[in-house]
Amino acid sequence: MKPTSLLLLCLALGLGLGGCTRLSTLKATTVSYRLPEGSGPTAQIRIIAKGIVRGVPSSDCIDWRKPDSGLMVRPHGNRPNPNFRSLGMPMSAEADRLRRSDDFGANELKIPANRPFALMFSNTERPKNSDLIYSCAQSVRFTPEAGVNYQLVFIHDTQQQCLALLRKIDGQGNALPDEVKLEKADYCSADARP
């Protein structure tokens, strides 16, 4: 839906700008990310996550109202044939094992190169035999290089830490030793927050 159409819909429904923000947040959890038209050079990224990952192309901050932003990965929820969008990127046995794990999800996607890309990871879980609920949320950004294959792993680990690890991968799908630097991403503006 175009931003002007969304604004008119919000006004027609009497939602005001606060309601529009909630609608843009809803969009980020229900509408899939897509490569912007005419984006020029691209990189490929495999995202493996124990939680939900949403992305904002050509942005160094989070704002779900931006065109083409949306859902990139969600856990497959123990489905026997999880949805996995493959671009044919080489994959190591370890990455394949991890992406098939019960609490994980994964996708391979094209992203615009030479421009910042912002991602938000979130996960909530209740450990077995516990009344506690643990929540993990992290927003990061990086600038992909054209023609490079990346693998990004988001984990909410057993010590309840929120971890993000981004690496370039080689022709066999193995992660290269040097970690690609991720920077913290914030919301673009106060009204972009959910």
Side-chain angles (χ1 to χ4, degrees), residues 38-59:
S39 61
T42 61
Q44 295 186 136
I45 189 167
R46 176 185 303 119
I47 302 173
I48 302 172
K50 187 179 184 182
I52 293 173
V53 180
R54 299 173 283 176
V56 186
S58 302
S59 180

Side-chain angles (χ1 to χ4, degrees), residues 40-166:
T42 61
Q44 295 186 136
I45 189 167
R46 176 185 303 119
I47 302 173
I48 302 172
K50 187 179 184 182
I52 293 173
V53 180
R54 299 173 283 176
V56 186
S58 302
S59 180
D60 60 358
C61 55
I62 304 295
D63 188 343
W64 306 123
R65 297 170 296 188
K66 292 190 178 220
D68 306 310
S69 64
L71 185 64
M72 299 179 90
V73 172
R74 88 175 88 208
H76 58 71
N78 303 322
R79 290 189 301 270
N81 297 306
N83 292 336
F84 175 64
R85 197 174 317 143
S86 174
L87 298 176
M89 293 172 62
M91 186 180 314
S92 69
E94 174 61 20
D96 190 45
R97 183 197 61 75
L98 188 59
R99 81 166 179 93
R100 292 176 186 273
S101 298
D102 289 345
D103 297 333
F104 284 77
N107 270 331
E108 294 176 358
L109 304 136
K110 286 190 180 288
I111 55 177
N114 308 321
R115 288 183 254 170
F117 197 98
L119 299 115
M120 177 180 266
F121 165 68
S122 61
N123 186 45
T124 302
E125 60 184 61
R126 174 178 281 161
K128 292 177 183 173
N129 304 321
S130 175
D131 291 333
L132 300 173
I133 296 176
Y134 295 102
S135 184
C136 172
Q138 190 174 124
S139 297
V140 296
R141 66 181 180 197
F142 79 109
T143 301
E145 298 174 35
V148 173
N149 285 336
Y150 292 93
Q151 181 167 286
L152 176 60
V153 178
F154 283 109
I155 297 177
H156 188 178
D157 75 4
T158 54
Q159 283 80 38
Q160 305 312 322
Q161 294 181 350
C162 223
L163 305 173
L165 179 64
L166 177 65

